[in-house]
C-alpha cells in the first residue's frame, strides 16, 4: 500500500540507487527529486502521497516518484493590497513566474488588518506585504519574499535574475538603494507629516536619491529594462511601483516638471525606461496599472488634502518643485 515518506528519506533512498541506474534514468530521478523537494520546501509534504515503485529490468533498479496535490490549496498566501508599492514588487514576481495557482493574494483584512492581533503575530511590524507558507512560516519584507519566490520556483517562468555575477550584484545594488534611500522618504509624497519642514526636508532627500537612481538606470539604446539586457529582472519589479507614486504625485501636487502619471523632466532615463519596460513586459504594466489605479482612488477620496500635503505646499518658505 502507499506510504508517506519525508523528502530527506526519499532523497537518501534514491541517492543510493542512482549509482545503479543508467545516466538517462539518473537525470530523470534527480529531476523528480528536485521538483518534489521544491514543493516540500513550501510545506506541501504532508499533502503529498509519495509512491516509490521498484521495477527490475536489464540489471537496473528504477524508482518512480509520483506526487499529487490540489492546486486549489495554495502553498503560500500573500497578504497585500494594490496600493502597496512594496507588495507590487512581490506581485510582479508572482505574475512573471505564473505561480498564482500556488501563491494566493488576499487582503491583510483576512487576518484582522495590519494592526490586528493575528497579523501582528506573523509580522510584528504591522506592515505589508507578508507571505505565509502552508506550514505557518511567516516571511515579511518584500525583498526577502521576492528572493524566496525566485528560489522556491526557480523551475517556473523567467529567473528574473541576470546570468552573470556582476550583473546580479548591480541588480541587488539597485534594489538596496531603493529600499534604504528612497523607500525611507517616499512617505513625504502621500502621508501626514509631523511638520511642513519635515515634508520639505524629505522631499529634498527624495530628489537627491532619485538623481542617484537616474544614474543607475540604463539608457534607451541599452534595452527596455532598468539594467542593460533583453529580459526584466527583479530590479524592474522593485522600481516600477515606486515610480508610479513619483510620477503620480510629484507633478500634480508638488509642481515638479513632467507629465502626470508618466514622466519627470529631471529624469529622462527613468522616464524612458518607465514607458519602455511596460511596453515590453505585460506583467510590469499590470502592477503599474494596479498601483496607479489605487492612487487614483486615493485621489478621488481627497488623500492629499487629508494628509496636509496641499496645505504644506502653499507655504512658500520651502522649496517644493525640483530641480
Amino acid at each position: 500500500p502507499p506510504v508517506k515518506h519525508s523528502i530527506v528519506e526519499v532523497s537518501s533512498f534514491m541517492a543510493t540507487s542512482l549509482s545503479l541506474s543508467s545516466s538517462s534514468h539518473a537525470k530523470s530521478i534527480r529531476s523528480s527529486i528536485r521538483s518534489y523537494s521544491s514543493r516540500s520546501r513550501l510545506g506541501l509534504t504532508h499533502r503529498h502521497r509519495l509512491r516509490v515503485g521498484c521495477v527490475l529490468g536489464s540489471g537496473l533498479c528504477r524508482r518512480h516518484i509520483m506526487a499529487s496535490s490540489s492546486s486549489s490549496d495554495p502553498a503560500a498566501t500573500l497578504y497585500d493590497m494594490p496600493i502597496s508599492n512594496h507588495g507590487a514588487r512581490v506581485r510582479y514576481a508572482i505574475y512573471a513566474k505564473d505561480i498564482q495557482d500556488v501563491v494566493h493574494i488576499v487582503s491583510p483584512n483576512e487576518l484582522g488588518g495590519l494592526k490586528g492581533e493575528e497579523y501582528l503575530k506573523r509580522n510584528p511590524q504591522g506592515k505589508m506585504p507578508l507571505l505565509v507558507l502552508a506550514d505557518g512560516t511567516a516571511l515579511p519584507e518584500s525583498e526577502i519574499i521576492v528572493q524566496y519566490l525566485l528560489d522556491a520556483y526557480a523551475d517556473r517562468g523567467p529567473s528574473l535574475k541576470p546570468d552573470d555575477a556582476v550583473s546580479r550584484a548591480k541588480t541587488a545594488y539597485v534594489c538596496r538603494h531603493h529600499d534604504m534611500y528612497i523607500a525611507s522618504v517616499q512617505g513625504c509624497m502621500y502621508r501626514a507629516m509631523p511638520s511642513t519642514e519635515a515634508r520639505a526636508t524629505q522631499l529634498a532627500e527624495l530628489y537627491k536619491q532619485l538623481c542617484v537612481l537616474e544614474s543607475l538606470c540604463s539608457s534607451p539604446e541599452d534595452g527596455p529594462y532598468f539594467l542593460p539586457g533583453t529580459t526584466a529582472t527583479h530590479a524592474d519589479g522593485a522600481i516600477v511601483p515606486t515610480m508610479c507614486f513619483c510620477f503620480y504625485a510629484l507633478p500634480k501636487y508638488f509642481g515638479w516638471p513632467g507629465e502626470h502619471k508618466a514622466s519627470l523632466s529631471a529624469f529622462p532615463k527613468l522616464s524612458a525606461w518607465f514607458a519602455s519596460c511596460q511596453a515590453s513586459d505585460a506583467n510590469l504594466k499590470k502592477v503599474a496599472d494596479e498601483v496607479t489605479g489605487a492612487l487614483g482612488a486615493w485621489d478621488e477620496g481627497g488623500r492629499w488634502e487629508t494628509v496636509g500635503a496641499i496645505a504644506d505646499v502653499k507655504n512658500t518658505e520651502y522649496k517644493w518643485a525640483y530641480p
Side-chain angles (χ1 to χ4, degrees):
V3 295
K4 295 182 179 179
H5 299 271
S6 72
I7 189 60
V8 174
E9 293 170 334
V10 173
S11 297
S12 176
F13 176 69
M14 298 301 293
T16 302
S17 66
L18 285 180
S19 61
L20 301 176
S21 303
S22 66
S23 60
S24 62
H25 286 105
K27 291 179 180 178
S28 176
I29 292 170
R30 290 190 187 99
S31 176
S32 297
I33 291 176
R34 282 196 297 270
S35 177
Y36 187 80
S37 297
S38 177
R39 293 192 295 271
S40 177
R41 285 196 297 272
L42 294 175
L44 291 179
T45 304
H46 67 286
R47 291 195 184 93
H48 285 73
R49 175 173 294 176
L50 187 68
R51 297 175 180 176
V52 181
C54 181
V55 180
L56 294 178
S58 302
L60 298 176
C61 187
R62 306 169 185 172
R63 267 63 178 182
H64 301 278
I65 298 178
M66 295 175 290
S68 62
S69 67
S70 172
S71 61
S72 63
D73 198 2
T77 301
L78 178 71
Y79 294 90
D80 188 36
M81 297 179 69
I83 192 62
S84 172
N85 60 318
H86 297 296
R89 73 199 286 186
V90 180
R91 298 197 303 273
Y92 170 66
I94 293 171
Y95 299 155
K97 297 188 79 63
D98 194 20
I99 53 176
Q100 297 96 312
D101 59 326
V102 288
V103 183
H104 291 189
I105 304 172
V106 302
S107 167
N109 292 332
E110 296 290 323
L111 289 178
L114 296 177
K115 303 306 177 183
E117 181 180 353
E118 290 302 314
Y119 195 91
L120 291 174
K121 285 180 182 179
R122 295 162 175 82
N123 183 3
Q125 304 302 329
K127 296 183 177 181
M128 57 183 173
L130 169 69
L131 186 72
V132 178
L133 307 186
D135 66 359
T137 299
L139 298 175
E141 302 298 333
S142 58
E143 180 63 4
I144 301 301
I145 298 171
V146 167
Q147 292 305 320
Y148 168 80
L149 293 176
L150 299 190
D151 289 341
Y153 296 100
D155 59 342
R156 292 187 60 170
S159 70
L160 300 181
K161 296 180 180 181
D163 293 331
D164 64 280
V166 173
S167 295
R168 289 194 180 204
K170 289 180 177 179
T171 302
Y173 172 50
V174 169
C175 293
R176 180 61 64 88
H177 175 77
H178 168 272
D179 294 350
M180 292 190 67
Y181 304 112
I182 295 178
S184 60
V185 295
Q186 69 178 34
C188 68
M189 293 185 286
Y190 58 87
R191 288 179 181 156
M193 301 296 289
S195 66
T196 301
E197 182 179 5
R199 190 183 302 279
T201 299
Q202 289 194 19
L203 197 68
E205 181 66 17
L206 178 62
Y207 173 71
K208 173 184 174 182
Q209 299 305 336
L210 286 175
C211 287
V212 176
L213 194 65
E214 171 82 0
S215 72
L216 298 175
C217 186
S218 64
S219 299
E221 57 268 22
D222 293 326
Y225 301 110
F226 197 91
L227 295 172
T230 58
T231 58
T233 69
H234 61 95
D236 293 275
I239 307 302
V240 163
T242 298
M243 294 312 298
C244 289
F245 275 76
C246 295
F247 290 153
Y248 192 102
L250 295 176
K252 184 171 184 178
Y253 288 107
F254 297 92
W256 292 30
E259 181 182 351
H260 180 225
K261 302 182 185 180
S263 67
L264 288 168
S265 301
F267 308 110
K269 289 198 296 182
L270 285 172
S271 298
W273 155 79
F274 187 74
S276 64
C277 74
Q278 291 183 62
S280 301
D281 187 322
N283 292 307
L284 287 171
K285 186 178 189 311
K286 182 176 181 178
V287 295
D289 288 346
E290 289 174 349
V291 174
T292 302
L295 288 168
W298 266 8
D299 212 350
E300 291 176 3
R303 171 82 183 198
W304 278 267
E305 183 175 7
T306 301
V307 301
I310 293 176
D312 283 344
V313 174
K314 291 178 180 178
N315 190 329
T316 58
E317 294 182 17
Y318 300 96
K319 180 177 174 65
W320 302 106
Y322 287 85

